[in-house]
Amino acid sequence: MIKKIIIGFIIICIAIGAWIGYDFYQKIWKKNVFLSKEQDYIYIKTGTTLNQLSDILHENNIIKNKESFLWLCEKKKFTDEKLKPGKYRLKNGWSNNDLINYLRLGNDVKVNITFNNVRTLEQLAGKVAKNIEADSSAIADKLLNEEISKAYGFTNQTFITMFIPNTYQFEWDTDADEFIKRMSEEYKKFWTEERKSKARALGLSQSEVCILASIVQAEQGKHLDEWPIIAGLYINRLRNGIKLQSDPTVKFAVGDFSIRRVLNKHLAVDSPYNTYKYHGLPPGPILLPDVRAVDAVLNYQKNDYLYMCAKPEYSGRHNFSKTLEQHNQYAGQYRQWLDKEGIR
């Protein structure tokens, strides 16, 4: 009888041990991560706790059992303090152990930030905020802060020239200050001694080169081969004390970029960006210029042109003139074409 009791007890212990072992196995190594095609990544915000993370993962059907996830976090001493914010790439079929080991490495994925076709600092903030944790209002507040722009050596109007259009890699949890600091470093890399030397030869500051490049780019958005020609033309006007009289600057001053035909009422607007009204360069760029536009100014074509006018066609190209008489002929032809096409 005693022997049977002992055997029974052993069997019960084995069964309990097996059940405990299986339960441990379930909590530690059983598949608990289930991803759909749209769930390759998760974003962990700064200050997120493990409880909050488990709720997010469970509510989005990424993990089936959040209790087992939290249990293993405790056993592996993976605490809230060790959970790092960032963008993380998950894998379908992971166990709790796989997921926690990945999270504890802080192996967050870099994000790409690309910005171009930007006219204002507010637009820049909006584009950047789509890819990092900082929201657009927080970034805009920093970009529009006069003290910050001054600290980096710019005015409110020229601060945007510090942001060189390109594609950059960042940590997802980058804040506004970190973004601006990184852009300052990229600006310094871009302005090599060769570029700075060419700017000095032009008698322009780095920001002024970008301002002129923005006008050149705005004048010709289709045929980049005209950029050095247009840059040479405007440099001629600057050196001869002639107003730039650039239509895109008037559109910027008016605040309406949909204008197809600049009229006298537009030319009358009183703004330092209206180059029909004021001599020299405007106080800031009218868009964030492409790197190629900046280099087109630095490597401008030496010519004798003082005037330009769009060709009377939809080619997007221009007629260039050395004399006002020739320009007036081209301008008359263009106006006739606009009238014929019904462009007002």
Side-chain angles (χ1 to χ4, degrees), residues 288-303:
L288 190 56
D290 188 286
V291 167
R292 293 167 295 179
V294 174
D295 284 335
V297 170
L298 295 175
N299 300 285
Y300 70 98
Q301 182 192 92
K302 293 181 179 179
N303 55 52

Side-chain angles (χ1 to χ4, degrees), residues 253-273:
V254 173
D256 184 357
F257 307 108
S258 66
I259 295 172
R260 299 184 67 188
R261 189 169 184 173
V262 175
L263 305 174
N264 288 332
K265 65 178 182 179
H266 302 130
L267 300 180
V269 65
D270 189 11
S271 166
Y273 286 88

Side-chain angles (χ1 to χ4, degrees), residues 100 121 256 266 315:
I100 294 168
L121 288 169
D256 184 357
H266 302 130
S315 70

Side-chain angles (χ1 to χ4, degrees), residues 1-10:
M1 179 63 70
I2 294 175
K3 184 176 180 181
K4 289 181 178 180
I5 292 172
I6 293 173
I7 293 173
F9 178 75
I10 292 173

Side-chain angles (χ1 to χ4, degrees), residues 31-51:
K31 177 179 177 180
N32 197 32
V33 175
F34 300 86
L35 302 177
S36 66
K37 292 181 180 179
E38 295 77 27
Q39 294 174 318
D40 291 331
Y41 301 95
I42 57 168
Y43 295 87
I44 301 177
K45 295 182 178 181
T46 301
T48 299
T49 66
L50 287 169
N51 274 312

Side-chain angles (χ1 to χ4, degrees), residues 206-224:
Q206 292 162 206
S207 287
E208 287 173 332
V209 169
C210 291
I211 292 170
L212 181 53
S214 75
I215 297 173
V216 169
Q217 183 172 332
E219 288 281 10
Q220 175 54 275
K222 185 176 180 181
H223 303 289
L224 276 58

Side-chain angles (χ1 to χ4, degrees), residues 112-134:
N112 288 331
I113 293 181
T114 301
F115 52 87
N116 48 37
N117 298 322
V118 172
R119 292 187 182 275
T120 66
L121 288 169
E122 291 90 341
Q123 289 180 355
L124 176 62
K127 286 206 171 191
V128 172
K130 292 179 180 178
N131 296 285
I132 60 176
E133 183 178 11

